[in-house]
Amino acid sequence: MAKLLPAASVYYVDLMTRPIVGIISNAYLINDQYPAHACGSMNTDAVVQVSGAMPLAFPADPEVVTIPELLDAFDGFLFTGGRPNVHPEEYGEEPTEAHGTFDRNRDRVALPLIRAAVERGQPILGICRGFQEVAVAFGSTLHPEIRELPGRMNHRMPPDGTLEEKFALRHDVILAPGSPYAHVFGTERVRTNTLHGQGIKVAGPRVRIDGWAEDDTPEAISIDGAPGFAMAVQWHPEANAAEDPVSRPLFAAFGEACRAWRASGGQPLRAVG
Ligand SMILES: N[C@@H](CCC(=O)NCCCC(=O)O)C(=O)O
């Protein structure tokens, strides 16, 4: 039965046929002793309120889930942000102190899952760490601390302040004309938040950089030859997704792709843009 979603929603969905979006979790230690898998509720809210899908968080642990099971279980995937970084050995480099902390289980699930989903046209949307995972999955390298690069701003999350202050809009992103993002946003310049220390150093051969911050930091990518929806952004569109004029169309387009995947029994929507 159709249900009226919050006023900010632009369409009704039949809750019985919502596409199912797999949201990758991060590993946490609750009270410094209780291991847990969790994802931020901003992600689930964006998936429900804007994408019109059912969100299901899944553990990022190769001992718990397999790639074929995940591909069969979900209509699309959201690769969320996370404080731990992709391990540099995933892009042929040695770890240094600058690389910070890692989550090797999440690396071992996210990277092969991204490659498999993209190649079959199953929708994926990457956010922040998820953006970096998509980039590395398709051959990119990362710089561990971009604020140390000449001319770059500090993209890191402000250490203090309220959640609203941490997710405040802090830079523009200039989008390539004709890119999937210019198509989705209807403009070639948008304003976004920023909460990351790392960034793409060298893009992989199929990684198309579609958007840059004013300091030339890559902020939006797509994958050449991807038969379906394959988009990833370095910022956090899940924040205030139902109201933000940039987040909303991105999550709406992702939801449309997941709905099409579900309705077609697993065929990709024509690539966006
Ligand atoms: N660790 C990477 C990606 C940054 C990222 O995903 N930030 C969101 C973190 C939210 C939180 O603190 O849990 C980098 O630093 O570039």
Side-chain angles (χ1 to χ4, degrees):
M1 179 170 94
K3 174 186 174 191
L4 182 61
L5 291 172
S9 302
V10 293
Y11 46 71
Y12 295 78
V13 292
D14 179 343
L15 296 183
M16 298 306 288
T17 59
R18 285 189 299 175
I20 305 173
V21 168
I23 303 179
I24 196 165
S25 297
N26 283 299
Y28 293 97
L29 205 53
I30 297 174
N31 298 331
D32 291 329
Q33 66 181 76
Y34 187 73
H37 301 284
C39 78
S41 53
M42 285 185 194
N43 297 293
T44 49
D45 289 350
V47 165
V48 171
Q49 295 174 13
V50 186
S51 302
M54 182 168 89
L56 284 183
F58 63 87
D61 182 340
E63 300 303 314
V64 173
V65 293
T66 68
I67 303 305
E69 289 170 330
L70 293 171
L71 292 170
D72 286 347
F74 299 110
D75 299 305
F77 297 96
L78 181 65
F79 293 91
T80 59
R83 197 149 308 180
N85 296 310
V86 179
H87 197 288
E89 73 182 11
E90 296 295 347
Y91 46 93
E93 296 185 9
E94 290 298 315
T96 67
E97 193 173 332
H99 286 95
T101 59
F102 306 116
D103 182 343
R104 298 301 278 129
N105 280 338
R106 174 159 168 170
D107 293 342
R108 293 182 180 114
V109 171
L111 299 182
L113 179 58
I114 287 165
R115 285 189 282 263
V118 169
E119 297 304 2
R120 69 200 306 240
Q122 201 161 355
I124 69 154
L125 176 58
I127 291 173
C128 207
R129 176 188 160 118
F131 164 94
Q132 294 165 1
E133 287 169 337
V134 174
V136 169
F138 284 90
S140 305
T141 58
L142 304 178
H143 192 282
E145 193 66 80
I146 57 173
R147 63 182 167 182
E148 293 174 355
L149 296 171
R152 299 291 183 90
M153 67 178 275
N154 180 0
H155 289 248
R156 281 194 173 279
M157 176 174 72
D160 307 309
T162 65
L163 211 52
E164 288 71 22
E165 289 163 340
K166 291 181 177 182
F167 282 89
L169 305 184
R170 291 202 287 146
H171 64 45
D172 283 2
V173 173
I174 299 90
L175 301 163
S179 67
Y181 298 90
H183 173 79
V184 167
F185 298 139
T187 179
E188 293 172 7
R189 193 174 187 110
V190 294
R191 188 121 185 112
T192 74
N193 57 40
T194 186
L195 299 92
H196 63 105
Q198 301 206 345
I200 290 177
K201 180 163 59 176
V202 178
R206 292 177 58 193
V207 175
R208 190 171 56 211
I209 299 181
D210 295 315
W212 301 260
E214 297 117 310
D215 66 354
D216 289 335
T217 296
E219 290 281 342
I221 59 173
S222 50
I223 304 299
D224 280 340
F229 187 104
M231 300 176 79
V233 295
Q234 182 67 82
W235 70 89
H236 284 265
E238 78 281 15
N240 196 30
E243 308 298 334
D244 182 89
V246 177
S247 304
R248 186 170 186 80
L250 184 58
F251 271 96
F254 175 56
E256 181 194 352
C258 294
R259 225 176 331 284
W261 179 270
R262 184 176 186 83
S264 69
Q267 295 303 316
L269 185 68
R270 58 170 173 73
V272 171

